[in-house]
Amino acid sequence: MSDNGTDTKAIELPASMTVRQLADSIDSSPIEIIKTLMANGVMANINQMIDFDTAAIVAAEMGYDATLEVIDQVEAGDSGEIPLWRRLIAKEKEEDLVRRPPVVSILGHVDHGKTSLLDSIRQTHVQEGEVGGITQHISAYQITHNDRLITFLDTPGHAAFTAMRSRGAQGADIVILVVAADDGVMPQTREALAHARAAQVPIIVALNKIDKSNANPDYVKQQLSEVGLIPDDWDGDTIVVPVSATEKSGLEDLLEAINLVSDNMDIYANPNGEVLGTVIEAEIDRHRGVLATLLVQNGTLHTGDALVAGTSHGRLRAMFDFNGNAIEEAGPSTPISVMGLNEVPEAGDVFRVVDSDKEARAIIADRLDRQKQQATLAAPAMTLESLFERYQSGEVRELRLIVKADVQGSLEPIISSLEEMKAGDKVGEIGVNVLHADTGNISKDDISLAAASQAIVMGFNVTADVAARKQAEVEGIDIRNYNIIYRLTEDVEKALKGMLEPEERETVIGKAEVRAIFTIRKIGKIAGCRVTDGEVRRNAFMRVIRNDKVIHDAPVSSLKREQEDAREVRQGFECGINVEGFDDFKVGDILQCYIHELVKVE
Ligand code: GDP
């Protein structure tokens, strides 16, 4: 096979694998792999686990250019804005994809009829089978309409939705926004709308309680138009379906609307691909241990599979459909209840199938490690000041705001000047996105929304409730209070400018001295160093200084401590350092480590 690098083949490899698995993935024999490893100074047997870096070196020798699998990139902390399962499906080959049932979530203001609607659809469209192995109510179900399956997440209220979104694992393809025809658009309607918009999920409005004598559909449609949901019969593109959950009328039209909307969406998955999905809810059952309701989003889950869900794991002892009947396998968009996990995972946790319990434990150890690290990092998740850094890192692409004001009269000018800013070329293409604007004090729900959608909360002549303040502290959400409109808009403008033009400042964080040079085939020369000052980091830059002259200046390409990859190495410790584009280390060279910090433009 070619070793000259000109016709390398691309391949994705997991974060760790056995020698045998590597051999299989790159069409080689385990013996070849073991030989190559030995040539690089690694002694391994056929069942030994090797890490991605090692595997990549071996693969390179065999003519492959290896990248880390998407799923492991995410495990490594690269969570991004797009849910993991969507990213995974995006990587699947087109010919492997098949249509899957749409997953529908019902949101709306309290008492507008979410539960009633879910119950009516269930009663009219689910043929309850014989009572199966478990009798628990599974918080999701599937129905058939015109021979097509639809999956409903039976978790009304947006607590679950918020939790799922904030973990980047939001599962719904379509949101049904329930609005009572006798009550109209209410605060939680707007909030639910903001959630759906932030998640970029299409919305169908169910205009419920149409049977009531005081129902006023035209008035509600007017209100819907005001929040940007222009009904289709008013030449808009939001489907508004009048229904009555109690009289079970309009349900067929609603289901037809779901089919119609999903026709225009890419709702696919690979039933034979990597198995992955989201935990809908979980609890401990005294007799059966942990019972978890899962939504499969890609691949097919089988009983006996080894599973990791959040930080719990186990082999699936039994699996049930939503009617409680034992089943052996479950494909994409199927809600199921499973037994066999060792702990209760959280709603919104991602689950995936792994090859062995050993791999499961390794992933969990890694996740726990990361959780610990994150917990020790100083809080602020979202502040106006930190926005541009997040923008730079690609985490945030717009400035999302939640605005609360004392009266409608002050809300309007604030929104219109913020929206002007969106258009103004002064701030370029980064826009302000007012996710939610309303009158009243800042509530806990506002903070949940901010946390789920990475928004800043701005108050005008209002205060934050005690519960909201506490929640904001926990979530690290920035609440800004103003009593002069132009101060508010000025701050937003400043933040936008900062997002566009952060200044880079360089900070030296440590120094290391080269004590020995090692040569490793394919990687080249590695400098064996001792950190003499501060610390050196993997995500940093390095100046190679010889005789007081800088002879090279480039990013660190690898940092190892006792052959393990390290994020940072502190003063007094030894480490192996490699710098991009440099192969000429000499004993006595000084390596100066620095980082770029982004600084707000005042
Ligand atoms: P949720 O809080 O949104 O889940 O609302 P519920 O489903 O609990 O409904 C709240 C109340 O509205 C209950 O008393 C229901 O019986 C009633 N309700 C729900 N849907 C309808 C409907 O279509 N027509 C009428 N007349 N009442 C309804």
Side-chain angles (χ1 to χ4, degrees), residues 108-117 156 178 208-212 243-247:
H109 193 69
V110 62
D111 274 350
H112 277 198
K114 298 178 291 293
T115 315
S116 309
L117 193 59
V178 178
N208 193 30
K209 306 198 188 185
I210 206 77
D211 58 288
K212 289 186 94 169
V243 298
S244 164
T246 44
E247 302 202 335

